[in-house]
């Protein structure tokens, strides 16, 4: 969104002020829909390769990619729960420390996780696989599985070429930062550097296939999208078909309630990080983006690494200029609001059980953390009961879970690599 427009909006609608003129609201609403095609990913040569997406889909649903055969990506990102798990905090082999994020429209993101510690979708996918609390497996175990499963082996070969020679290699092993005596690290240390590099490259390919699948998880046909389409073509009957409360809620969203300052664009996120002053959760002490930036810069699998298919070009630009937030607050990634009515509970620790609670929070700032630094966007709104209901009706109108049903389950094994 144009900064000048945002400023004009801010001046027109201080928290207690008047909503923006209809013309401004209309202009901003037109920027929130339609959802374009996901952007290309120059770091992933197979981002739009259908065979890779099919392999990725199979891997996404396969619990054999875990230490005890019980955890797949879909354990926490369940298709029937809008790609979440409905729990405050995710649980795989053990409890993790944050709320499971939805995968809707995930391919539009620039940074991943609540703290942005990953900067590509493929590199993100590699995190949970080797996290002891999630899948708890290792890159060597995964490659052995790929080699031993005829369907996987065929698909992998067709897409990426030969797997590394595995016969002489241990069945487990991965780098474990800071734990030289960890059994996984000791097993990893038995490989020479060249073999480690080849194994990591094949592991990265697993992430790239999963990313190609995740790119298909796009929500773009919600009642709100049909409304904006009608608005764009001055179709009065089409506009009138949109719930009147939701329409007023949309105007609040881009006006008096100021949500669009951060929840901007067709995914309803500016793709960046903010301190929205949400009360600290029970786990507490989450440093958010501050630590995320440090971890991203040190990550051997980040977008400026040799594993990026553009030779690290995009990553060099993206990461080198990155600075830790200067305002001192704890910031988290602005989440998408698409299908938000289906992904309770909310916030990075699942602090709020319902959307009503979220709207109540932004309205009153009850139990908010103190305002730190210069981000003054979060101020009590003082909405009426009717306005709160309108905002909720608008959020509910962002619901569209339609996807080809064949994406909601593993593909037939025989279809892989054909
Ligand atoms: C134990 C539950 C669990 C499992 C298993 C799991 N995830 Fe997640 N996922 C989460 C949680 C929790 C977060 C947020 C974590 C954080 O921010 O630190 C997350 C975040 C993500 C994100 C970031 C979304 C965004 O907008 O930034 C993606 C993408 C994702 N997971 C994909 C996957 C894939 C692919 C797999 C399988 C390889 C997987 N997840 C396995 C719980 C899980
Ligand atoms: C200053 C930027 C900013 C503004 C303004 C803002 N949000 Fe948010 N929103 C965020 C961030 C950042 C998060 C995630 C915070 C966290 O979990 O720590 C969030 C989280 C949410 C969530 C939970 C999403 C999820 O998946 O858990 C909802 C719903 C939401 N906001 C709706 C709104 C509404 C409605 C408004 C206007 C009344 C609004 N936001 C205004 C930045 C903002």
């Amino acid at each position: 969104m144009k900064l000048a427009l945002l400023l004009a909006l801010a001046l027109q609608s201080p928290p207690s002020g008047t909503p923006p003129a209809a013309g401004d609201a209309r202009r901003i609403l037109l920027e929130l829909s339609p959802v374009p095609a996901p952007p290309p990913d120059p770091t992933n040569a197979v981002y739009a390769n259908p065979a890779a997406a099919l392999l990725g889909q199979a891997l996404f649903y396969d619990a054999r990619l875990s230490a005890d055969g019980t955890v797949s990506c879909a354990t926490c990102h369940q298709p029937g729960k809008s790609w979440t798990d409905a729990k405050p905090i995710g649980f795989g082999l053990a409890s993790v420390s944050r709320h499971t994020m939805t995968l809707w429209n995930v391919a539009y993101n620039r940074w991943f996780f609540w703290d942005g510690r990953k900067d590509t979708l493929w590199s993100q996918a590699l995190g949970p696989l080797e996290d002891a609390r999630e899948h708890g497996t290792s890159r060597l175990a995964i490659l052995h599985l790929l080699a031993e499963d005829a369907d996987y082996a065929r698909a992998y070969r067709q897409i990426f070429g030969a797997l590394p020679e595995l016969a002489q290699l241990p069945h487990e092993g991965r780098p474990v930062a800071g734990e030289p005596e960890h059994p996984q690290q000791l097993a990893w240390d038995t490989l020479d550097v060249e073999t480690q590099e080849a194994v990591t490259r094949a592991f990265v390919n697993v992430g790239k296939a999963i990313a190609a699948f995740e790119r298909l998880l796009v929500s773009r046909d919600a009642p709100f999208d049909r409304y904006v389409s009608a608005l764009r073509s001055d179709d009065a009957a089409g506009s009138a078909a949109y719930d009147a409360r939701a329409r007023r809620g949309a105007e609040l969203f881009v006006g008096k309630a100021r949500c669009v300052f951060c929840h901007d664009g067709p995914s309803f996120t500016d793709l960046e990080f903010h301190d929205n002053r949400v009360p600290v959760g029970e786990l507490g002490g989450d440093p958010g983006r501050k630590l995320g930036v440090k971890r991203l810069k040190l990550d051997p699998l980040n977008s400026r690494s040799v594993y990026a298919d553009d030779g690290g070009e995009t990553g060099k630009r993206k990461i080198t200029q990155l600075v830790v937030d200067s305002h001192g607050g704890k910031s988290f990634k602005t989440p998408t609001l698409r299908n938000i009515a289906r992904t309770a509970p909310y916030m990075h620790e699942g602090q709020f059980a319902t959307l009503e609670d979220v709207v109540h929070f932004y309205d009153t700032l009850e139990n908010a953390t103190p305002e730190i630094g210069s981000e003054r966007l979060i101020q009590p709104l003082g909405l009426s009961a009717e306005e709160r209901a309108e905002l909720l009706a608008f959020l509910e109108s962002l619901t569209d879970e339609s996807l080809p049903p064949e994406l909601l389950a593993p593909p037939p094994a025989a279809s892989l690599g054909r």
Side-chain angles (χ1 to χ4, degrees), residues 99 114 253 257-263 272-276 278 332-337 340 343 345-349 351 355 358-359 362 375 377-378 381 391 395:
H99 175 59
W114 287 105
F253 186 87
R258 297 148 51 100
C259 315
V260 80
F261 276 98
C262 304
H263 297 281
E272 290 297 333
F273 300 80
H274 297 276
D275 176 5
N276 74 343
V278 63
F332 294 87
K333 195 171 78 174
T334 312
T336 181
L337 298 181
I340 192 70
T343 61
Y346 301 102
M347 306 295 172
H348 70 273
E349 275 191 41
Q351 287 100 318
L355 268 185
V358 174
V359 169
Y362 281 116
E375 262 208 315
L377 294 171
I378 300 288
L381 300 170
L391 206 46
L395 292 171

Side-chain angles (χ1 to χ4, degrees), residues 155 215 248 296 397 402:
R215 194 181 160 83
R248 289 193 297 273
L296 173 63
S397 81
S402 57

Side-chain angles (χ1 to χ4, degrees), residues 60 71-73 75-77 85 90-94 96 98-103 106 109 111-115 117 121 124-125 128-129 133-135 210 214 333:
F60 183 91
V71 178
S72 73
C73 307
T75 301
C76 301
H77 302 284
D85 53 11
F91 194 97
L93 294 174
V96 299
R98 294 200 180 116
H99 175 59
T100 303
M101 305 175 93
T102 185
L103 302 183
V106 74
N109 289 341
W111 316 108
F112 299 88
F113 287 125
W114 287 105
D115 59 3
R117 69 182 180 278
L121 196 48
Q124 188 289 326
L129 292 171
R133 303 162 305 171
E134 298 183 69
H135 299 241
I210 293 176
E214 291 175 296
K333 195 171 78 174

Side-chain angles (χ1 to χ4, degrees), residues 14-267:
S16 56
T18 48
D24 279 346
R26 184 178 183 280
R27 266 161 69 195
I28 302 169
L29 288 172
L30 294 183
E31 292 182 21
L32 301 179
S33 179
V35 176
D41 181 356
T43 70
N44 180 358
V46 300
Y47 76 89
N49 174 330
L54 206 61
L55 173 61
Q57 181 181 345
L59 295 166
F60 183 91
Y61 287 105
D62 191 344
R64 289 179 297 167
L65 276 75
S66 65
D68 66 357
T70 63
V71 178
S72 73
C73 307
T75 301
C76 301
H77 302 284
Q78 299 172 27
K81 293 186 176 147
S82 231
W83 308 104
T84 65
D85 53 11
K87 297 175 180 153
I89 301 288
F91 194 97
L93 294 174
S95 189
V96 299
S97 54
R98 294 200 180 116
H99 175 59
T100 303
M101 305 175 93
T102 185
L103 302 183
W104 284 115
N105 298 25
V106 74
Y108 298 80
N109 289 341
R110 305 182 65 221
W111 316 108
F112 299 88
F113 287 125
W114 287 105
D115 59 3
R117 69 182 180 278
K118 287 286 188 178
D119 63 347
T120 64
L121 196 48
W122 54 265
S123 180
Q124 188 289 326
L126 306 175
L129 292 171
E130 293 195 327
D131 186 319
R133 303 162 305 171
E134 298 183 69
H135 299 241
T137 182
S138 70
R139 56 195 74 179
L140 267 170
I142 291 174
L143 295 202
H144 278 287
L145 170 68
L146 290 181
E148 284 155 19
D149 179 302
D151 301 306
Y152 280 158
R154 184 180 61 245
Y156 185 94
R157 198 176 335 104
Q158 189 224 53
I159 302 160
F160 300 110
L163 275 163
E165 185 50 61
L166 294 165
Q168 308 302 319
L169 303 186
H171 278 253
E172 285 284 354
R174 61 178 166 90
V176 188
E179 290 187 59
E181 298 304 317
H182 194 289
Q184 291 277 10
Q185 177 72 52
L186 293 175
W188 184 243
D189 289 340
T190 65
L191 275 57
D192 61 48
V193 174
E194 212 169 85
T195 310
Q196 287 180 344
E197 161 86 16
V199 167
T200 299
R201 226 167 241 290
F203 179 52
V204 161
N205 287 339
V206 164
K208 287 176 179 171
I210 293 176
F213 164 64
E214 291 175 296
R215 194 181 160 83
L216 305 177
L217 310 180
V218 177
S219 170
R220 55 157 59 98
D221 191 26
F224 174 75
D225 296 295
R226 294 194 284 273
Y227 168 59
V228 172
S229 162
L231 204 60
R232 182 169 275 116
S233 56
D234 291 319
D235 165 7
S239 296
Y242 187 50
D243 178 66
R245 273 184 155 181
R247 182 161 45 75
R248 289 193 297 273
E251 281 165 17
L252 285 168
F253 186 87
V254 303
K256 180 177 171 182
R258 297 148 51 100
C259 315
V260 80
F261 276 98
C262 304
H263 297 281
D264 186 20
S267 289

